[in-house]
Amino acid sequence: KKDIEKLNIEKLRDFSGFLSERKGKVLNFNYGEIQNLISYIEDFEQQEFKDELAKNLNFEKDITNKEINEYRRLENNLIDEIKEIKKQKDLLEKEKDVKIEVLSHKKDEREKLSNKAFYEIIKFKEGLDKELEGKIEKSLWEMGLLDSFISPDNSIFDKFLSPSERKEENLTKYIEVEEDFENKDLVERILSSIGTEETGDIYITNEGKYKNLLIYGKVDKWEGRYIGLEARKKLRLQKIDKLNKEIDKLEERLSFAKENIDELSKKLLILQKEHSEILIEFKYNFEEIHRAYNNNLTQEEYIRKRIENYKLELIKLQESKNELIKKLEAGEDIDKLNYV
């Protein structure tokens, strides 16, 4: 009898395990999760998804448009700069000669005159050392003589040269008059008035020392650029070359600005395209969710019925268990009972 009781206890334990497993299967079918899904769908439908997406798109578009506007301002400024430099270049290319820059009011007056400045009617003699040429030219400039006129003109307010006492050692040793200038004698007398020794009231030495009455000083190294047609031609070509390099740099920056404008404009199109694609995908996915939502609503009654059936099954199982316990208590053999 003790062996039968022991066996019956083991069988009862197995039956209890079976009952718990069936009960667990019913409870694991989480009906609450279905309700959460329905709640989620309802909340999702209420979200202003499109407005939020549009807000993000407009934010990105604003930033991109600001960048485009900055590059467009740069582009316009560069175009203006390039136009101005090309205008300067065109003037240089059309000019037959380069003139020393003077004050604007003097420039207007001088353009009306046929008179030539001192540097336009003289040239250095062949074979002269370039360093010495530079010192003489720079000294004449510092002394205020280089761009002075030769023939007096009472109709304008300007500076003019007139010859003074001839010096034994003078600038005619280094400088001569251009062939096409008519009044050569006057120019030679002016050159003869400027000594090359450090004596008297007016001189220019080989070392770059100079004096013009109350003005005196010493010049450093200087590359001649105004005395002589060839020197001025070289200067004009150097200026044109410098302007060409400036134009190249500005056009490179302009190209960079245009490339950035194009790239940013493409970015705007991509943003708009992605926005549209997201809306399409959103609509598609939302419709899928709605279909699932509607299916869940359709199946809800079926699920309830299944749960009720499981509950009924549990009640029957519990009743079987109670009946089994009673029979066990009465000492019956559990193997003779079918509880599954």
Side-chain angles (χ1 to χ4, degrees):
K1 187 176 179 179
K2 288 183 178 180
D3 291 336
I4 293 173
E5 288 179 356
K6 183 179 179 182
L7 185 61
N8 286 342
I9 291 170
E10 289 176 358
K11 292 292 183 180
L12 183 60
R13 187 184 300 117
D14 292 340
F15 179 81
S16 297
F18 169 78
L19 183 61
S20 297
E21 183 182 350
R22 293 293 289 158
K23 188 175 180 181
K25 285 181 180 179
V26 175
L27 296 177
N28 284 337
F29 194 91
N30 194 340
Y31 182 74
E33 288 181 358
I34 296 172
Q35 297 301 320
N36 288 338
L37 175 62
I38 293 170
S39 175
Y40 169 76
I41 293 170
E42 289 173 346
D43 290 343
F44 187 71
E45 188 176 16
Q46 292 170 7
Q47 288 178 359
E48 296 178 350
F49 179 79
K50 292 181 181 179
D51 291 342
E52 187 65 25
L53 186 64
K55 181 180 176 183
N56 291 335
L57 173 67
N58 290 332
F59 177 75
E60 290 294 331
K61 284 173 70 175
D62 287 344
I63 292 175
T64 306
N65 279 321
K66 283 179 183 177
E67 291 184 66
I68 289 174
N69 290 334
E70 286 176 7
Y71 278 114
R72 278 184 177 151
R73 278 194 294 271
L74 175 62
E75 180 186 31
N76 292 332
N77 291 336
L78 289 170
I79 289 171
D80 291 340
E81 284 187 60
I82 290 170
K83 283 182 180 177
E84 182 59 33
I85 293 174
K86 283 185 175 180
K87 184 179 177 182
Q88 295 175 26
K89 178 188 166 185
D90 289 342
L91 289 174
L92 275 172
E93 288 175 338
K94 290 175 183 177
E95 284 181 355
K96 294 180 180 180
D97 204 355
V98 178
K99 296 185 181 293
I100 293 176
E101 288 294 324
V102 294
L103 297 175
S104 58
H105 68 279
K106 281 191 176 183
K107 183 178 180 180
D108 293 338
E109 289 181 344
R110 287 192 171 197
E111 285 178 349
K112 298 173 185 176
L113 301 174
S114 59
N115 293 12
K116 289 188 176 181
F118 190 41
Y119 68 90
E120 294 177 288
I121 55 178
I122 59 176
K123 63 181 179 179
F124 288 109
K125 291 185 175 181
E126 292 289 334
L128 197 63
D129 180 70
K130 295 297 179 185
E131 186 175 338
L132 179 57
E133 286 183 5
K135 287 180 179 179
I136 292 171
E137 181 177 295
K138 183 71 176 293
S139 297
L140 287 170
W141 195 338
E142 297 287 347
M143 294 162 74
L145 308 180
L146 192 63
D147 62 338
S148 296
F149 285 128
I150 299 298
S151 303
D153 189 329
N154 295 327
S155 65
I156 62 169
F157 296 96
D158 215 311
K159 53 186 178 180
F160 302 91
L161 294 177
S162 62
S164 62
E165 181 185 352
R166 184 181 184 277
K167 306 295 188 295
E168 188 67 29
E169 296 291 329
N170 57 64
L171 283 185
T172 56
K173 182 165 57 174
Y174 305 124
I175 297 176
E176 58 188 3
V177 186
E178 290 282 3
E179 295 296 330
D180 61 347
F181 189 67
E182 295 178 357
N183 200 349
K184 287 187 178 181
D185 180 64
L186 175 61
V187 180
E188 286 176 351
R189 285 192 289 129
I190 291 171
L191 290 170
S192 298
S193 303
I194 304 171
T196 54
E197 302 290 336
E198 198 174 343
T199 58
D201 291 334
I202 180 167
Y203 60 79
I204 297 173
T205 70
N206 292 2
E207 294 81 22
K209 293 182 179 179
Y210 66 86
K211 184 176 181 182
N212 185 14
L213 297 177
L214 298 177
I215 301 171
Y216 66 94
K218 185 177 181 178
V219 297
D220 52 3
K221 286 186 178 181
W222 173 266
E223 182 182 355
R225 59 185 70 176
Y226 291 110
I227 295 177
L229 285 171
E230 287 302 316
R232 293 196 296 280
K233 180 181 177 181
K234 180 181 177 183
L235 176 61
R236 185 169 65 88
L237 293 175
Q238 285 175 343
K239 286 185 175 183
I240 291 171
D241 183 59
K242 183 181 178 183
L243 291 176
N244 280 330
K245 287 178 181 177
E246 287 183 30
I247 290 169
D248 288 343
K249 288 180 181 178
L250 290 171
E251 285 182 340
E252 187 177 338
R253 291 177 62 195
L254 179 61
S255 176
F256 175 76
K258 286 181 176 179
E259 285 175 7
N260 277 278
I261 290 170
D262 290 342
E263 288 298 319
L264 290 167
S265 298
K266 288 176 184 177
K267 181 181 175 181
L268 280 177
L269 293 174
I270 291 169
L271 284 170
Q272 190 63 55
K273 182 182 177 184
E274 287 180 349
H275 175 259
S276 300
E277 288 175 351
I278 290 170
L279 284 177
I280 292 169
E281 187 177 354
F282 166 78
K283 183 180 178 183
Y284 173 78
N285 290 331
F286 193 68
E287 286 174 352
E288 284 292 310
I289 292 170
H290 261 288
R291 279 194 289 271
Y293 169 66
N294 291 330
N295 289 338
N296 281 322
L297 289 178
T298 305
Q299 294 174 7
E300 187 174 355
E301 188 61 31
Y302 169 72
I303 293 168
R304 283 201 189 94
K305 288 179 180 179
R306 285 183 62 191
I307 291 173
E308 289 300 323
N309 290 335
Y310 280 125
K311 285 180 178 178
L312 291 172
E313 185 181 350
L314 286 174
I315 291 169
K316 289 179 180 179
L317 287 170
Q318 188 64 48
E319 289 174 352
S320 297
K321 180 181 177 181
N322 294 336
E323 184 180 351
L324 183 60
I325 290 171
K326 286 179 182 179
K327 290 182 178 183
L328 286 173
E329 288 174 350
E332 296 184 25
D333 187 354
I334 195 169
D335 285 332
K336 295 179 182 180
L337 301 172
N338 182 16
Y339 58 84
V340 178

